[in-house]
Amino acid sequence: MGWKEDLADILKKPVLRDVPMSRYTSIGVGGPAEMMVFPETYDELRQVLALARRSGVPLVILGEGTNLLVKDGGIRGIILNLSSVCSVLTFDNGIVRAGSAVTLPRISWEAIQRGLSGLEFALGIPGSLGGALYMNAGAYGSTIGNLMREVTTMDLHGHIRVRAREELLFSYRRSSFQDEETVILEGVLQLQEGSRDSIMQQAEELLKKRRLRHPTLPSAGSVFRNPTGEPAGYLIEQAGAKGITLGGAQVSPRHGNFIVNTGGATAADILKLIEKVKNMVKEHFAVDLELEIKVIGDNGVK
């Protein structure tokens, strides 16, 4: 038997083959994933990791697909979907334990309902806790890294490790997880108890501000990291790139640092538009914009 048959034997849930990644990314583009798996236990997860390592099969961990652009040729190997195994969410006064597959809006909303403050900024941020930790997601001067007490991970050999906040590094849109080969399993956050009504009011104000500025069409979130000085969105707008289109992709008229899928966009459209925006900003300001979104997969037919 080959690795694909072995993979099916490991798991209780069916393995999905040739899954269009357009269904699993917020921007709605992406070619097929060769194999997508949904482990239900840490033991199943260990066995998947061992199989991938033993067989030399590429492995990609999938969250909510919000800061992700999958190329039109799709992804070879195994897509690891953690929605079945990393979905715990518990509250004990101000301590929140959440699985890496739980979405930030859900954690934030449930915290607010319990009169817990600290996650108001995250109510409108799509994506999972795992992705948020990986990217150190943040908004309005707050970041997820500042709230963490500990994070549980599994390395590619199946060893589980619990790390205190002091052992982890967080900075602007970066974390020490980006330098590791590891699976984020869950995190423990420290929130503050307060007035539910006032916390809700603040969260709604931030959410309203976000909705006014951010596009409603499908996107992958902020495309570029903010360079030193002016924000990327401002530079893009001043360079004249706001609103330009290429195929089905468009630089959002609402916010220059978002590229939206106006309908029928391909990953190739988006990548070409990204290069055009980078060149325009480089020409006007001599600034090299760096990608914030993650680009994976194959180009497909050349």
PDB file of all heavy atoms in Angstrom, residues 135-155:
ATOM      1  N   MET A 135       0.808  34.421  13.678  1.00  0.00           N
ATOM      2  CA  MET A 135       1.040  35.755  13.101  1.00  0.00           C
ATOM      3  C   MET A 135       1.068  36.859  14.157  1.00  0.00           C
ATOM      4  O   MET A 135       1.306  38.017  13.829  1.00  0.00           O
ATOM      5  CB  MET A 135      -0.075  36.071  12.097  1.00  0.00           C
ATOM      6  CG  MET A 135      -0.044  35.254  10.832  1.00  0.00           C
ATOM      7  SD  MET A 135       1.419  35.568   9.824  1.00  0.00           S
ATOM      8  CE  MET A 135       1.204  37.306   9.429  1.00  0.00           C
ATOM      9  N   ASN A 136       0.812  36.517  15.413  1.00  0.00           N
ATOM     10  CA  ASN A 136       0.625  37.520  16.465  1.00  0.00           C
ATOM     11  C   ASN A 136      -0.377  38.577  15.999  1.00  0.00           C
ATOM     12  O   ASN A 136      -0.072  39.776  15.924  1.00  0.00           O
ATOM     13  CB  ASN A 136       1.937  38.179  16.881  1.00  0.00           C
ATOM     14  CG  ASN A 136       1.779  39.002  18.160  1.00  0.00           C
ATOM     15  OD1 ASN A 136       0.887  38.751  18.976  1.00  0.00           O
ATOM     16  ND2 ASN A 136       2.636  39.993  18.341  1.00  0.00           N
ATOM     17  N   ALA A 137      -1.583  38.107  15.698  1.00  0.00           N
ATOM     18  CA  ALA A 137      -2.638  38.987  15.190  1.00  0.00           C
ATOM     19  C   ALA A 137      -2.950  40.094  16.180  1.00  0.00           C
ATOM     20  O   ALA A 137      -2.877  39.905  17.397  1.00  0.00           O
ATOM     21  CB  ALA A 137      -3.896  38.168  14.918  1.00  0.00           C
ATOM     22  N   GLY A 138      -3.290  41.238  15.638  1.00  0.00           N
ATOM     23  CA  GLY A 138      -3.612  42.359  16.510  1.00  0.00           C
ATOM     24  C   GLY A 138      -4.360  43.451  15.773  1.00  0.00           C
ATOM     25  O   GLY A 138      -4.471  43.446  14.544  1.00  0.00           O
ATOM     26  N   ALA A 139      -4.866  44.397  16.554  1.00  0.00           N
ATOM     27  CA  ALA A 139      -5.565  45.561  16.003  1.00  0.00           C
ATOM     28  C   ALA A 139      -5.717  46.593  17.109  1.00  0.00           C
ATOM     29  O   ALA A 139      -5.791  46.232  18.298  1.00  0.00           O
ATOM     30  CB  ALA A 139      -6.940  45.172  15.457  1.00  0.00           C
ATOM     31  N   TYR A 140      -5.724  47.853  16.703  1.00  0.00           N
ATOM     32  CA  TYR A 140      -5.978  48.962  17.629  1.00  0.00           C
ATOM     33  C   TYR A 140      -5.044  48.936  18.848  1.00  0.00           C
ATOM     34  O   TYR A 140      -5.445  49.201  19.973  1.00  0.00           O
ATOM     35  CB  TYR A 140      -7.443  48.958  18.076  1.00  0.00           C
ATOM     36  CG  TYR A 140      -8.409  48.916  16.913  1.00  0.00           C
ATOM     37  CD1 TYR A 140      -9.208  47.800  16.683  1.00  0.00           C
ATOM     38  CD2 TYR A 140      -8.483  49.977  16.013  1.00  0.00           C
ATOM     39  CE1 TYR A 140     -10.070  47.749  15.592  1.00  0.00           C
ATOM     40  CE2 TYR A 140      -9.345  49.934  14.927  1.00  0.00           C
ATOM     41  CZ  TYR A 140     -10.131  48.822  14.724  1.00  0.00           C
ATOM     42  OH  TYR A 140     -10.983  48.772  13.641  1.00  0.00           O
ATOM     43  N   GLY A 141      -3.776  48.599  18.591  1.00  0.00           N
ATOM     44  CA  GLY A 141      -2.774  48.644  19.649  1.00  0.00           C
ATOM     45  C   GLY A 141      -2.705  47.426  20.538  1.00  0.00           C
ATOM     46  O   GLY A 141      -1.896  47.387  21.468  1.00  0.00           O
ATOM     47  N   SER A 142      -3.536  46.414  20.285  1.00  0.00           N
ATOM     48  CA  SER A 142      -3.524  45.186  21.089  1.00  0.00           C
ATOM     49  C   SER A 142      -3.121  44.005  20.218  1.00  0.00           C
ATOM     50  O   SER A 142      -3.408  43.982  19.024  1.00  0.00           O
ATOM     51  CB  SER A 142      -4.901  44.917  21.696  1.00  0.00           C
ATOM     52  OG  SER A 142      -5.301  45.974  22.545  1.00  0.00           O
ATOM     53  N   THR A 143      -2.471  43.004  20.827  1.00  0.00           N
ATOM     54  CA  THR A 143      -2.101  41.789  20.100  1.00  0.00           C
ATOM     55  C   THR A 143      -2.434  40.570  20.942  1.00  0.00           C
ATOM     56  O   THR A 143      -2.508  40.647  22.169  1.00  0.00           O
ATOM     57  CB  THR A 143      -0.595  41.755  19.763  1.00  0.00           C
ATOM     58  OG1 THR A 143       0.157  41.694  20.980  1.00  0.00           O
ATOM     59  CG2 THR A 143      -0.178  42.967  18.951  1.00  0.00           C
ATOM     60  N   ILE A 144      -2.592  39.444  20.277  1.00  0.00           N
ATOM     61  CA  ILE A 144      -2.936  38.201  20.967  1.00  0.00           C
ATOM     62  C   ILE A 144      -1.789  37.734  21.858  1.00  0.00           C
ATOM     63  O   ILE A 144      -2.010  37.153  22.926  1.00  0.00           O
ATOM     64  CB  ILE A 144      -3.336  37.107  19.945  1.00  0.00           C
ATOM     65  CG1 ILE A 144      -4.060  35.946  20.642  1.00  0.00           C
ATOM     66  CG2 ILE A 144      -2.139  36.624  19.163  1.00  0.00           C
ATOM     67  CD1 ILE A 144      -5.444  36.275  21.119  1.00  0.00           C
ATOM     68  N   GLY A 145      -0.549  38.008  21.442  1.00  0.00           N
ATOM     69  CA  GLY A 145       0.605  37.566  22.214  1.00  0.00           C
ATOM     70  C   GLY A 145       0.634  38.132  23.620  1.00  0.00           C
ATOM     71  O   GLY A 145       1.102  37.472  24.556  1.00  0.00           O
ATOM     72  N   ASN A 146       0.132  39.356  23.780  1.00  0.00           N
ATOM     73  CA  ASN A 146       0.146  40.001  25.092  1.00  0.00           C
ATOM     74  C   ASN A 146      -0.803  39.348  26.084  1.00  0.00           C
ATOM     75  O   ASN A 146      -0.702  39.592  27.291  1.00  0.00           O
ATOM     76  CB  ASN A 146      -0.207  41.487  24.948  1.00  0.00           C
ATOM     77  CG  ASN A 146       0.879  42.273  24.258  1.00  0.00           C
ATOM     78  OD1 ASN A 146       2.047  41.888  24.287  1.00  0.00           O
ATOM     79  ND2 ASN A 146       0.513  43.373  23.623  1.00  0.00           N
ATOM     80  N   LEU A 147      -1.735  38.536  25.592  1.00  0.00           N
ATOM     81  CA  LEU A 147      -2.741  37.929  26.463  1.00  0.00           C
ATOM     82  C   LEU A 147      -2.411  36.487  26.848  1.00  0.00           C
ATOM     83  O   LEU A 147      -3.092  35.904  27.689  1.00  0.00           O
ATOM     84  CB  LEU A 147      -4.113  37.949  25.772  1.00  0.00           C
ATOM     85  CG  LEU A 147      -4.657  39.327  25.402  1.00  0.00           C
ATOM     86  CD1 LEU A 147      -5.921  39.179  24.560  1.00  0.00           C
ATOM     87  CD2 LEU A 147      -4.951  40.151  26.647  1.00  0.00           C
ATOM     88  N   MET A 148      -1.385  35.921  26.232  1.00  0.00           N
ATOM     89  CA  MET A 148      -1.123  34.503  26.427  1.00  0.00           C
ATOM     90  C   MET A 148      -0.411  34.215  27.747  1.00  0.00           C
ATOM     91  O   MET A 148       0.512  34.928  28.127  1.00  0.00           O
ATOM     92  CB  MET A 148      -0.268  33.951  25.271  1.00  0.00           C
ATOM     93  CG  MET A 148      -0.886  34.131  23.901  1.00  0.00           C
ATOM     94  SD  MET A 148      -2.614  33.586  23.773  1.00  0.00           S
ATOM     95  CE  MET A 148      -2.447  31.848  24.196  1.00  0.00           C
ATOM     96  N   ARG A 149      -0.860  33.155  28.425  1.00  0.00           N
ATOM     97  CA  ARG A 149      -0.154  32.644  29.604  1.00  0.00           C
ATOM     98  C   ARG A 149       0.698  31.440  29.255  1.00  0.00           C
ATOM     99  O   ARG A 149       1.799  31.279  29.773  1.00  0.00           O
ATOM    100  CB  ARG A 149      -1.157  32.248  30.688  1.00  0.00           C
ATOM    101  CG  ARG A 149      -1.682  33.426  31.490  1.00  0.00           C
ATOM    102  CD  ARG A 149      -2.569  32.994  32.633  1.00  0.00           C
ATOM    103  NE  ARG A 149      -1.966  31.976  33.478  1.00  0.00           N
ATOM    104  CZ  ARG A 149      -2.395  31.681  34.706  1.00  0.00           C
ATOM    105  NH1 ARG A 149      -3.416  32.343  35.214  1.00  0.00           N
ATOM    106  NH2 ARG A 149      -1.826  30.747  35.417  1.00  0.00           N
ATOM    107  N   GLU A 150       0.180  30.586  28.368  1.00  0.00           N
ATOM    108  CA  GLU A 150       0.947  29.433  27.932  1.00  0.00           C
ATOM    109  C   GLU A 150       0.370  28.915  26.622  1.00  0.00           C
ATOM    110  O   GLU A 150      -0.793  29.173  26.292  1.00  0.00           O
ATOM    111  CB  GLU A 150       0.949  28.320  28.990  1.00  0.00           C
ATOM    112  CG  GLU A 150      -0.417  27.751  29.290  1.00  0.00           C
ATOM    113  CD  GLU A 150      -0.394  26.685  30.382  1.00  0.00           C
ATOM    114  OE1 GLU A 150       0.291  26.906  31.404  1.00  0.00           O
ATOM    115  OE2 GLU A 150      -1.071  25.658  30.206  1.00  0.00           O
ATOM    116  N   VAL A 151       1.183  28.178  25.886  1.00  0.00           N
ATOM    117  CA  VAL A 151       0.769  27.588  24.616  1.00  0.00           C
ATOM    118  C   VAL A 151       1.254  26.139  24.585  1.00  0.00           C
ATOM    119  O   VAL A 151       2.399  25.851  24.931  1.00  0.00           O
ATOM    120  CB  VAL A 151       1.337  28.355  23.410  1.00  0.00           C
ATOM    121  CG1 VAL A 151       0.929  27.684  22.097  1.00  0.00           C
ATOM    122  CG2 VAL A 151       0.866  29.813  23.419  1.00  0.00           C
ATOM    123  N   THR A 152       0.361  25.238  24.168  1.00  0.00           N
ATOM    124  CA  THR A 152       0.699  23.824  24.037  1.00  0.00           C
ATOM    125  C   THR A 152       0.926  23.489  22.573  1.00  0.00           C
ATOM    126  O   THR A 152       0.106  23.838  21.721  1.00  0.00           O
ATOM    127  CB  THR A 152      -0.428  22.934  24.595  1.00  0.00           C
ATOM    128  OG1 THR A 152      -0.665  23.281  25.960  1.00  0.00           O
ATOM    129  CG2 THR A 152      -0.049  21.462  24.521  1.00  0.00           C
ATOM    130  N   THR A 153       2.044  22.831  22.287  1.00  0.00           N
ATOM    131  CA  THR A 153       2.384  22.493  20.916  1.00  0.00           C
ATOM    132  C   THR A 153       2.782  21.016  20.813  1.00  0.00           C
ATOM    133  O   THR A 153       3.098  20.369  21.806  1.00  0.00           O
ATOM    134  CB  THR A 153       3.559  23.352  20.404  1.00  0.00           C
ATOM    135  OG1 THR A 153       4.704  23.121  21.238  1.00  0.00           O
ATOM    136  CG2 THR A 153       3.205  24.817  20.401  1.00  0.00           C
ATOM    137  N   MET A 154       2.753  20.521  19.581  1.00  0.00           N
ATOM    138  CA  MET A 154       3.254  19.175  19.290  1.00  0.00           C
ATOM    139  C   MET A 154       4.274  19.295  18.164  1.00  0.00           C
ATOM    140  O   MET A 154       3.968  19.879  17.126  1.00  0.00           O
ATOM    141  CB  MET A 154       2.114  18.246  18.855  1.00  0.00           C
ATOM    142  CG  MET A 154       2.573  16.815  18.534  1.00  0.00           C
ATOM    143  SD  MET A 154       1.245  15.748  17.899  1.00  0.00           S
ATOM    144  CE  MET A 154       0.219  15.508  19.360  1.00  0.00           C
ATOM    145  N   ASP A 155       5.485  18.776  18.381  1.00  0.00           N
ATOM    146  CA  ASP A 155       6.473  18.824  17.308  1.00  0.00           C
ATOM    147  C   ASP A 155       6.207  17.699  16.302  1.00  0.00           C
ATOM    148  O   ASP A 155       5.303  16.873  16.499  1.00  0.00           O
ATOM    149  CB  ASP A 155       7.902  18.787  17.847  1.00  0.00           C
ATOM    150  CG  ASP A 155       8.278  17.462  18.509  1.00  0.00           C
ATOM    151  OD1 ASP A 155       7.662  16.431  18.198  1.00  0.00           O
ATOM    152  OD2 ASP A 155       9.202  17.467  19.345  1.00  0.00           O
TER     153      ASP A 155
END
